[in-house]
Amino acid sequence: MAILRFQALKESSHRKPIPFQEPARRSEIFAKNVFGEKAMRQFLTRDSYKSVMDAIQNGSKIDRNLADHISTGMKEWSISKGATHYTHWFQPLTGSSAEKHDAFFETVEDGSAIEKFGGGALVQQEPDASSFPNGGIRNTFEARGYTAWDPTSPAFIFGTTLCIPTVFVSYTGEALDYKTPLLRSLQALDQAATQVAKYFDKKVTKITATLGWEQEYFLIDSALASSRPDIMMSGRTLLGHSPAKGQQLDDHYFGSIPSRVLNYMKEMENECMLLGIPVKTRHNEVAPNQFELAPIFEEANLAVDHNTLLMDVMEKVAERHHFKVLFHEKPFAGVNGSGKHNNWSLATDTGVNLLSPGSTPMKNLQFLAFFVNTIKAVNDNEELLRGTIATASNDHRLGANEAPPAIISVFIGSQLTEVLDELEKVTDGKLSPQEKTELKLNVVGKIPEILLDNTDRNRTSAFAFTGNKFEFRAVGSTANCANPMTVLNSIVAKQLKEFKEEVDVLIKKKKMKKDDAIFNVLREYIKDSKRIRFEGDGYGEAWEIEAKKRGLSNNKSTPEALKIKKAQSTIDLYESVGVMNRVEVESRHEIEVEEYALHIQIEGRVLGDIARNHIIPTAIKYQNVLIENVKGLKEIYGKDFKKYAKEQLMIIENISNHIEKINSGITDMIEERKKANKLEDSEEKAFAYGNEVKPYFEIIRYHCDKLELLVDDEVWPLTKYRELLFTK
């Protein structure tokens, strides 16, 4: 291993930036490999084009008779771009994308061949679903799963394959993917939000949830990454002592991008342009060798597809530049982890951002209605929001090095807090003309001015309002954005439905004017959701004590956080808005607790292997060198040798102590794994792995890292943090 380490260091030190020439104008290549409106106009008949656009804009079904025309046009377009295969591109509950490639090529009766792609192959396929996570939805022998075309997300060419975004469902119709519940939640949110928006503008007929994700990641030289079995097997370093210099000087953040990395970014962004992924921002992040990219906001379903595709693009381009992309939330201890901030907002078909104040008090009242309802939704479902970002990898990040804690809170800034405090004082019942005027002119009317100067930012808040959107900061970098977005869309949809019902009751039964009714309901929501609003530092025991007083959950581990996902309240929520049924909800909980246990199991096995097969033998070899040194000193100095061998003897003793602790820790960890593996209940197994197996990781790591400081650098087998984090 030591030889491999130094070979990797030599190889990485000789790397040269791989040249890449960017196009002069990105706009000229944007979406060139996407079957969008321009391509459809050229390759589809008028009726086919109209049918697809109607499906995209209004959700209408495409006539199966037109499917053959659409598939033919799509085939001709993709072949003209060099495509030879097609695939239904979907997102099973593994967290990544899946695809099975079929060639357009087919033989005919006379022995010749043609390129063929029929409407049936476009609209639906039946992949073997037996090996995908299903959470008990069907038996393994019932291997049928169905992928169905999602026309709202355009087909694209990746490499030489036409990729058709699809949903993935079981034979009995339950969702086996992330996209299906997301689409349902978007529909539910559209319906609920549109009804509320009509209070303020009758012309609104559709509301779209928008998403702007921010993808953080580490780039490590591929040779160095390959020299670390833990990185290759688990995506993170299970061992490694912190280097003398980490991120404490803040000299990497927003610094000059290294040449190799910049060329990688250029090619990766070029691929994104061709695929219609509107990436705009790139920069160094806080930790050494950590970076971030962010796109322009898009409709949420398309944004989710683009983020999933982006991660695939990043990995493929990284190979060409001799990099390994680390998406793990905490690949290195002691420095910042990586998140995927989800910036969420609502837009009307009339071009209005509902979370952005306007030029009139009425537009600002509209803003307040959606602003307060979102906060109320988060308040009532904070534990579910925590559950939706719970993974084995994100557990390492939450609550450390600027990441939000496991407690969900909403940050809105001191100025907006003052606005809500004023609204809390609204008179119960009908407002007097004087009070209404005061509210509209001096409270609601001044919101745009307030936000203009609102520069408050709380990096420890999991859910923060940042001017014209809410930023869900606790989402992990490996996450599929569909998961948190489905929850957020669903809870806001349910909340807006309830808001509309309460306002209508006051208008009809209490004979209140619309504005009075809205102010009255918002006042109660502001009071009810006060506990979730927090402007202070989210780190430390003080906030945990305060959060407990407020009745906020503090589920620090994934098994704890996931319990809410199978609760009756969660099932009721999803069923009330038509997003998931009981079977789908419970199956997802089952999948996620199984996945958690498997992640800990894999990490435990890798850690035991590295510690016993690499660290301990290396330590013993070095100890033997010291022993020979002590023997030599004894030969020279006789009985006085201890005077000259004092330090060597101390190191020998320390090495023995660390070896004993490592070995006993691994033995005990294996015994706990055996006990956990005997448990049949998936949730019990997850808790056993989290509570009984995982604690040994830190014990074993501590003693291995101490040996790293004692053993000769020339024989140490693992590439060190200083090499992984500072090799450019």
Side-chain angles (χ1 to χ4, degrees):
M1 280 292 289
I3 294 173
L4 180 61
R5 173 190 163 205
F6 286 106
Q7 285 177 340
L9 285 169
K10 183 178 180 180
E11 188 175 343
S12 63
S13 67
H14 288 88
R15 302 279 197 213
K16 300 294 182 186
I18 294 176
F20 182 78
Q21 185 62 47
E22 288 185 288
R25 294 177 182 269
R26 290 189 169 193
S27 58
E28 293 177 355
I29 65 166
F30 183 70
K32 201 170 182 180
N33 289 345
V34 177
F35 195 60
E37 284 191 47
K38 185 178 179 181
M40 285 193 287
R41 285 183 184 276
Q42 184 178 352
F43 285 88
L44 297 184
T45 64
R46 184 177 178 180
D47 288 344
S48 299
Y49 170 78
K50 185 178 178 183
S51 179
V52 175
M53 293 306 297
D54 199 31
I56 294 170
Q57 294 167 0
N58 305 313
S60 60
K61 290 188 177 181
I62 293 173
D63 189 334
R64 290 297 284 260
N65 294 325
L66 291 174
D68 281 329
H69 295 290
I70 297 168
S71 63
T72 299
M74 199 179 284
K75 178 197 70 178
E76 292 304 316
W77 169 79
S78 57
I79 289 175
S80 74
K81 293 283 186 181
T84 58
H85 290 68
Y86 66 91
T87 183
H88 273 201
W89 185 82
F90 58 102
Q91 298 168 47
L93 298 171
T94 56
S96 57
S97 60
E99 52 197 62
K100 174 174 72 77
H101 297 190
D102 286 303
F104 291 123
F105 170 86
E106 280 195 19
T107 56
V108 291
E109 291 177 358
D110 63 359
S112 61
I114 59 171
E115 272 74 32
K116 186 178 180 182
F117 179 51
L122 166 65
V123 173
Q124 182 177 300
Q125 285 194 339
E126 186 179 331
D128 181 356
S130 60
S131 294
F132 288 114
N134 64 82
I137 284 180
R138 47 152 184 73
N139 295 315
T140 303
F141 62 83
E142 295 171 327
R144 282 183 292 180
Y146 295 94
T147 51
W149 177 33
D150 170 23
T152 63
S153 184
F156 56 91
I157 294 171
F158 193 28
T160 58
T161 303
L162 169 66
C163 300
I164 303 154
T166 60
V167 298
F168 182 43
V169 297
S170 71
Y171 173 69
T172 49
E174 282 87 10
L176 293 172
D177 65 346
Y178 286 111
K179 180 185 274 281
T180 304
L182 175 66
L183 290 172
R184 293 172 185 164
S185 73
L186 289 167
Q187 185 179 13
L189 182 60
D190 172 23
Q191 292 171 353
T194 298
Q195 291 304 308
V196 173
K198 284 184 180 294
Y199 281 143
F200 309 97
D201 185 356
K202 298 291 185 185
K203 295 178 183 177
V204 174
T205 59
K206 184 177 178 60
I207 287 177
T208 303
T210 62
L211 170 63
W213 39 261
E214 302 168 30
Q215 182 70 59
E216 295 176 337
Y217 62 99
F218 283 81
L219 272 183
I220 306 300
D221 186 272
S222 57
L224 299 183
S226 296
S227 72
R228 292 283 307 222
D230 47 359
I231 289 179
M232 300 307 293
M233 297 294 287
S234 70
R236 74 179 181 105
T237 55
L238 299 170
L239 302 170
H241 198 280
S242 296
K245 179 180 183 289
Q247 64 184 44
Q248 62 267 47
L249 295 178
D250 296 323
D251 54 345
H252 187 256
Y253 189 52
F254 277 27
S256 176
I257 300 172
S259 298
R260 275 186 68 198
V261 175
L262 186 59
N263 281 12
Y264 159 74
M265 288 178 169
K266 288 177 181 178
E267 184 173 355
M268 180 263 291
E269 289 172 7
N270 187 73
E271 291 289 334
C272 288
M273 288 296 106
L274 293 169
L275 292 166
I277 306 172
V279 292
K280 186 175 177 67
T281 302
R282 64 189 181 206
H283 63 83
N284 290 2
E285 254 302 330
V286 175
N289 275 349
Q290 186 186 30
F291 307 93
E292 180 181 299
L293 66 89
I296 296 168
F297 280 48
E298 298 180 283
E299 183 274 326
N301 177 45
L302 183 58
V304 168
D305 280 359
H306 278 167
N307 182 254
T308 304
L309 177 59
L310 168 91
M311 294 170 79
D312 198 6
V313 171
M314 289 175 71
E315 290 181 327
K316 283 182 168 60
V317 175
E319 291 175 10
R320 299 200 283 270
H321 289 259
H322 306 295
F323 280 124
K324 170 76 174 172
V325 182
L326 302 185
F327 290 116
H328 194 287
E329 282 80 359
K330 196 75 170 179
F332 301 100
V335 296
N336 274 23
S338 298
K340 187 182 299 190
H341 303 173
N342 279 207
N343 294 279
W344 174 90
S345 193
L346 297 170
T348 70
D349 56 349
T350 57
V352 175
N353 179 349
L354 294 172
L355 289 176
S356 182
S359 56
T360 66
M362 180 56 73
K363 289 180 180 177
N364 293 330
L365 183 56
Q366 174 179 264
F367 157 74
L368 281 171
F370 286 93
F371 178 69
V372 173
N373 270 283
T374 302
I375 295 172
K376 177 73 160 53
V378 173
N379 176 76
D380 294 352
N381 299 277
E382 48 88 15
E383 193 169 11
L384 181 57
L385 270 181
R386 164 65 181 103
T388 199
I389 47 95
T391 62
S393 51
N394 208 21
D395 278 358
H396 295 286
R397 166 180 168 260
L398 294 177
N401 299 97
E402 292 191 4
I407 303 164
I408 299 294
S409 65
V410 175
F411 172 80
I412 63 173
S414 57
Q415 293 95 333
L416 280 173
T417 296
E418 290 176 12
V419 171
L420 296 194
D421 288 345
E422 287 297 319
L423 290 173
E424 198 177 330
K425 302 171 187 175
V426 169
T427 302
D428 187 7
K430 295 179 181 179
L431 279 65
S432 68
Q434 183 180 352
E435 184 178 16
K436 192 180 290 188
T437 301
E438 174 69 18
L439 277 172
K440 288 188 174 181
L441 291 180
N442 296 325
V443 180
V444 177
K446 291 187 177 179
I447 290 174
E449 298 168 33
I450 289 170
L451 289 183
L452 195 63
D453 298 319
N454 183 12
T455 56
D456 290 347
R457 188 74 187 270
N458 188 331
R459 299 185 67 82
T460 65
S461 175
F463 200 84
F465 183 71
T466 54
N468 58 3
K469 62 190 182 297
F470 279 101
E471 182 181 18
F472 193 9
R473 301 188 67 253
V475 181
S477 49
T478 60
N480 185 307
C481 296
N483 204 8
M485 286 299 98
T486 297
V487 172
L488 186 55
N489 293 338
S490 299
I491 64 176
V492 173
K494 180 176 182 291
Q495 180 55 49
L496 289 171
K497 281 175 65 178
E498 292 174 357
F499 173 71
K500 176 77 165 53
E501 290 168 4
E502 290 183 47
V503 170
D504 285 350
V505 166
L506 293 180
I507 293 171
K508 292 172 185 176
K509 293 188 177 180
K510 300 289 185 179
K511 306 300 180 184
M512 283 190 193
K513 290 184 178 180
K514 180 181 65 180
D515 289 6
D516 292 358
I518 290 172
F519 275 124
N520 270 260
V521 175
L522 290 181
R523 178 195 63 225
E524 296 307 310
Y525 286 177
I526 291 167
K527 291 178 182 176
D528 293 344
S529 59
K530 208 164 186 177
R531 66 168 190 153
I532 200 74
R533 292 179 1 231
F534 180 65
E535 305 299 309
D537 186 351
Y539 290 140
E541 189 179 355
W543 169 228
E544 291 193 15
I545 294 170
E546 174 63 23
K548 188 174 182 180
K549 288 179 184 176
R550 297 184 181 198
L552 297 173
S553 65
N554 185 14
N555 297 321
K556 294 186 177 182
S557 74
T558 289
E560 283 180 275
L562 290 177
K563 289 181 78 172
I564 188 64
K565 298 193 80 172
K566 65 170 183 176
Q568 186 61 46
S569 59
T570 301
I571 295 168
D572 291 343
L573 162 72
Y574 283 128
E575 290 185 336
S576 71
V577 291
V579 171
M580 283 190 280
N581 60 31
R582 178 182 292 274
V583 173
E584 291 169 318
V585 173
E586 291 179 343
S587 69
R588 275 160 173 70
H589 175 266
E590 181 76 9
I591 288 167
E592 289 174 10
V593 292
E594 281 182 359
E595 183 183 334
Y596 175 83
L598 288 171
H599 271 289
I600 304 301
Q601 182 187 78
I602 290 168
E603 288 189 349
R605 287 174 172 172
V606 173
L607 178 59
D609 170 54
I610 295 174
R612 272 194 173 155
N613 295 327
H614 301 294
I615 303 302
I616 290 178
T618 300
I620 290 172
K621 284 180 184 178
Y622 181 62
Q623 192 179 47
N624 287 337
V625 171
L626 293 175
I627 290 170
E628 289 302 315
N629 177 260
V630 170
K631 286 180 179 178
L633 291 172
K634 188 174 183 181
E635 287 179 11
I636 296 171
Y637 295 105
K639 63 179 180 179
D640 293 330
F641 83 98
K642 286 186 179 181
K643 175 182 176 182
Y644 302 99
K646 179 182 175 183
E647 296 300 324
Q648 292 92 320
L649 289 168
M650 188 183 299
I651 294 173
I652 290 168
E653 187 177 333
N654 285 341
I655 289 174
S656 292
N657 177 58
H658 291 308
I659 288 173
E660 189 277 324
K661 296 293 185 185
I662 293 167
N663 202 46
S664 62
I666 294 170
T667 300
D668 292 342
M669 178 182 68
I670 291 171
E671 287 305 309
E672 291 299 336
R673 277 213 315 264
K674 288 178 180 177
K675 292 178 188 176
N677 290 338
K678 290 177 182 177
L679 298 172
E680 294 185 4
D681 183 84
S682 298
E683 186 176 54
E684 287 182 21
K685 185 180 288 188
F687 271 104
Y689 265 100
N691 297 335
E692 309 302 331
V693 177
K694 189 180 173 184
Y696 285 102
F697 290 12
E698 285 306 310
I699 295 171
I700 296 165
R701 176 174 193 150
Y702 173 82
H703 292 285
C704 287
D705 289 355
K706 287 297 182 183
L707 285 175
E708 183 181 329
L709 297 178
L710 293 174
V711 173
D712 182 1
D713 182 69
E714 290 295 317
V715 297
W716 188 252
L718 297 180
T719 305
K720 296 186 175 184
Y721 266 35
R722 69 167 187 266
E723 297 154 352
L724 291 166
L725 288 172
F726 292 96
T727 300
K728 304 299 182 186

